[in-house]
Amino acid sequence: MTTRIWAGLGLLVILFHLGLVFQGLVPNLVSRPLHIALALPWVLIFAAQTRAERVSGVLLAALGVAACLWVAVNHNALSDQYGFLEGNFQVALAAVLLFVALEAARRAIGWPLPLVAAAALAYGLWGQYIPGEFGHSGTPLASFLGTLTIAEGGLWGSLTGVSVNVVAVFVIFGAVLNAGEAGQGFMNLAVAAAGRLRGGAAKVSVLSSALFGSISGSASANVASTGAVTLPAMTRLGYPKRLAGAVEAVASSGGQIMPPLMGAGAFVMVELTGVPYTEIILAALLPALLYFLAVWVGINAYARRLDLGGIAAEGKPSGRDVLITSAFFLVPFTVLMWGMFGAGFTPQYAASMSILTAVAMLAVDRNLTFNWKRTLERLERACLTSGKQVAMIASIILCASIVIGVLSITGLGVKITSLILSASGGLLWPSLLLTALACLILGMEVPTTAAYVICVSIAGPALIQLGLDPLLAHLFVFWFALLSTITPPVCGAVFISAGMVGEDWLKVALTAMALGVGLYVIPLGMIANPALIDLAQDPLAALLAMARLALGLGAISFGIIALQRLWAKLALAAAGLAAIFVPL
């Protein structure tokens, strides 16, 4: 019964977000608080592990939902207050909203991001007592808290708008696809395409993770889902455990840079840059393909060293199975692409049509048979997954919105931008390296999308002032925010894959860094070869830039992994770097 109640709430989440797409304009101070009201029970109650967590979660969810509903009901009156709280009740309401936002994020993803947001709040409240240029002039409490909680400058700002209007719809799309046969379709297609090749099991992991990651948007979820199939297959075929774990971690991390979802980053980028979504995914496509190409070359090198063969014929699906199961994701994807590029619909409208298509396809299985019970179970699973994943991303974005709101109110972002410019001497490449270091450090503690939002809000203006194209600056920051998935000491994707395969995480991490070398080189290569992201405007120049980077990355990856002598490794890696960075 409890499961059915949560499935019902998940269905309400789906209907609410689809309704926003088809309904038309809804005031932001209505749609955004309702979005959060629907998300809070999932992170505060559904995910509770202990009785104490559940009891406190019920109380916090009740307070948070009530506060969100009050904002939505009173949106007309609040819009006339211009972000200035009136009376003790509204001050208390603001305090409740901010506390619940911090606690929801803590329960969803741990302490680091809420601590960053709490530090930002403390700076906004007491930063006027900090001497020197990093202090601020102070903001009245009613104005500071009001801007964050009853206006569109904090919790209900543009980032939350991205979450409610676009990200949630694509997350629902992925959840519906994964509730049916699409996941098996990804795997069957990957086995059919790469299973017979040298190192075939690892290459199946790369392809299936790229396909699955394009809709999951989470490196950890990708490892847990595709890794459950690919990791046992690789170890059964004699792959060293450190290599099997590294392949899955690196391939799964690539899902966050693979269009169309990009871990929600593409949609946040739309809001922050003003660049249309279709242009962003075209700009991100070639770098993502280069990343997987570098991984492919690395796997070839390991396969040659370790004599790793392909998957046996009896382990491959039949042509009929491949064709039918592939249709379970190809048909909805075709509807999505046609809607965006053919019919010219908005991304969320096209995704909504794809969701309806995918829901219809839940009724049949690979044998084209229909079963009511199975269909209802799949619908229930889709509703539960949608509710959980929408709530997870909403809690992350809501907490990150506090940081962005404080940066805007206090002007701290401008001051940090000035610091970056002065520390780098006004030179682009030192600024890029400082930004990359900041992204790596912050990305170790908070999810990729949140790390990207915070870093680009601080460092993005500096890079743009130094002449970098805004979209290029955003892609650069987004890629480096992803480094922490495979880079010690945190490396979340590595921890999960190492645990699943039963290997020491540090061994897996070192192997993953070698396989995932493209993650470190490609963002810098984009800066040196900006034509790479111009696929929409100048496809020939973009493909030529891709060929140049492919040559360099191939040399670097092969040199690091295949060659035994240190001098040979360094020589080939240096030649690869020269191919990428030395001007023609």
Side-chain angles (χ1 to χ4, degrees):
M1 180 61 72
T2 303
T3 302
R4 290 182 180 177
I5 292 173
W6 284 108
L9 182 59
L11 178 61
L12 182 60
V13 169
I14 294 172
L15 294 176
F16 170 74
H17 290 96
L18 291 182
L20 287 179
V21 174
F22 294 115
Q23 173 70 25
L25 294 177
V26 175
N28 292 334
L29 283 182
V30 174
S31 62
R32 296 172 188 181
L34 290 179
H35 169 68
I36 299 303
L38 287 169
L40 289 177
W42 293 94
V43 290
L44 294 173
I45 304 172
F46 183 84
Q49 299 296 315
T50 64
R51 187 175 184 276
E53 277 190 1
R54 194 170 295 108
V55 172
S56 61
V58 169
L59 176 62
L60 288 172
L63 289 172
V65 169
C68 291
L69 293 177
W70 188 88
V71 172
V73 169
N74 295 279
H75 68 279
N76 283 326
L78 293 177
S79 63
D80 294 332
Q81 293 181 207
Y82 301 102
F84 197 91
L85 297 175
E86 296 178 355
N88 292 332
F89 172 76
Q90 291 191 7
V91 173
L93 180 95
V96 165
L97 282 170
L98 291 170
F99 180 78
V100 169
L102 294 174
E103 178 62 10
R106 185 194 70 81
R107 294 197 183 193
I109 55 172
W111 281 102
L113 179 58
L115 287 177
V116 172
L121 283 173
Y123 176 80
L125 291 169
W126 299 296
Q128 64 268 32
Y129 302 114
I130 298 175
E133 62 178 307
F134 280 95
H136 61 79
S137 58
T139 306
L141 181 66
S143 178
F144 177 72
L145 294 180
T147 303
L148 291 176
T149 57
I150 65 167
E152 295 178 30
L155 296 179
W156 319 127
S158 58
L159 278 183
T160 305
V162 174
S163 177
V164 62
N165 293 323
V166 186
V167 174
V169 180
F170 275 83
V171 168
I172 293 167
F173 175 48
V176 174
L177 276 184
N178 290 326
E181 301 274 357
Q184 189 60 49
F186 289 143
M187 193 62 64
N188 285 348
L189 183 61
V191 172
R196 60 184 175 79
L197 303 176
R198 183 194 296 269
K203 290 173 180 174
V204 166
S205 174
V206 171
L207 288 180
S208 60
S209 294
L211 291 167
F212 182 83
S214 68
I215 61 166
S216 78
S218 166
S220 300
N222 206 345
V223 172
S225 54
T226 61
V229 177
T230 60
L231 288 171
M234 283 188 274
T235 53
R236 191 167 56 246
L237 290 169
Y239 284 63
K241 289 184 176 181
R242 65 178 179 83
L243 177 58
V247 166
E248 185 56 47
V250 169
S252 294
S253 297
Q256 289 202 284
I257 53 176
M258 190 69 183
L261 190 58
M262 295 171 61
F267 311 115
V268 176
M269 223 173 280
V270 170
E271 181 63 37
L272 297 180
T273 63
V275 176
Y277 171 73
T278 50
E279 288 187 26
I280 286 177
I281 61 173
L282 285 173
L285 180 61
L286 296 186
L289 293 177
L290 281 169
Y291 172 80
F292 286 106
L293 174 65
V295 176
W296 194 278
V297 171
I299 289 172
N300 264 341
Y302 273 119
R304 188 178 297 275
R305 271 177 52 185
L306 303 172
D307 193 26
L308 301 173
I311 296 174
E314 57 269 22
K316 298 176 186 175
S318 67
R320 178 184 179 277
D321 266 357
V322 173
L323 185 64
I324 293 177
T325 56
S326 297
F328 284 96
F329 70 85
L330 285 176
V331 171
F333 259 96
T334 301
V335 172
L336 177 67
M337 293 297 110
W338 172 82
M340 287 194 299
F341 296 102
F345 297 141
T346 62
Q348 55 266 44
Y349 193 90
S352 298
M353 294 194 308
S354 302
I355 290 169
L356 298 177
T357 305
V359 167
M361 298 185 74
L362 292 179
V364 295
D365 65 2
R366 71 188 70 182
N367 296 316
L368 303 181
T369 61
F370 173 78
N371 181 289
W372 265 113
K373 183 179 179 181
R374 183 189 63 224
T375 302
L376 291 175
E377 287 174 351
R378 288 178 173 181
L379 288 171
E380 181 179 275
R381 188 160 61 247
C383 291
L384 289 171
T385 305
S386 295
K388 288 187 292 184
Q389 293 185 351
V390 168
M392 170 74 74
I393 293 179
S395 63
I396 293 169
I397 288 182
L398 189 71
C399 194
S401 294
I402 296 175
V403 180
I404 305 308
V406 172
L407 290 176
S408 175
I409 294 169
T410 62
L412 179 62
V414 176
K415 295 171 184 177
I416 297 178
T417 295
S418 300
L419 179 65
I420 292 172
L421 290 172
S422 61
S424 63
L427 300 174
L428 177 60
W429 283 95
S431 294
L432 290 170
L433 295 177
L434 285 172
T435 302
L437 180 62
C439 290
L440 175 59
I441 293 171
L442 188 60
M444 287 179 181
E445 300 297 334
V446 302
T448 302
T449 303
Y452 153 66
V453 168
I454 296 170
C455 281
V456 86
S457 298
I458 294 171
L463 300 181
I464 293 168
Q465 281 186 43
L466 291 171
L468 211 58
D469 177 80
L471 179 55
L472 188 55
H474 280 254
L475 284 171
F476 174 84
V477 172
F478 184 73
W479 271 66
F480 269 112
L482 185 61
L483 283 184
S484 60
T485 58
I486 62 171
T487 307
V490 177
C491 49
V494 165
F495 285 150
I496 296 173
S497 63
M500 291 176 70
V501 82
E503 179 59 281
D504 178 70
W505 72 269
L506 188 56
K507 293 180 181 178
V508 176
L510 294 174
T511 308
M513 290 172 71
L515 267 179
V517 67
L519 204 55
Y520 304 86
V521 176
I522 292 172
L524 297 169
M526 285 191 283
I527 305 298
N529 302 271
L532 182 66
I533 69 168
D534 281 340
L535 184 61
Q537 287 78 28
D538 193 346
L540 179 59
L543 292 172
L544 288 174
M546 181 187 183
R548 184 181 181 188
L549 263 74
L551 178 65
L553 281 169
I556 295 168
S557 184
F558 186 83
I560 290 173
I561 295 170
L563 302 182
Q564 299 299 310
R565 298 180 184 276
L566 180 60
W567 66 266
K569 289 178 182 284
L570 293 175
L572 194 53
L577 291 172
I580 294 172
F581 294 105
V582 174
L584 295 175

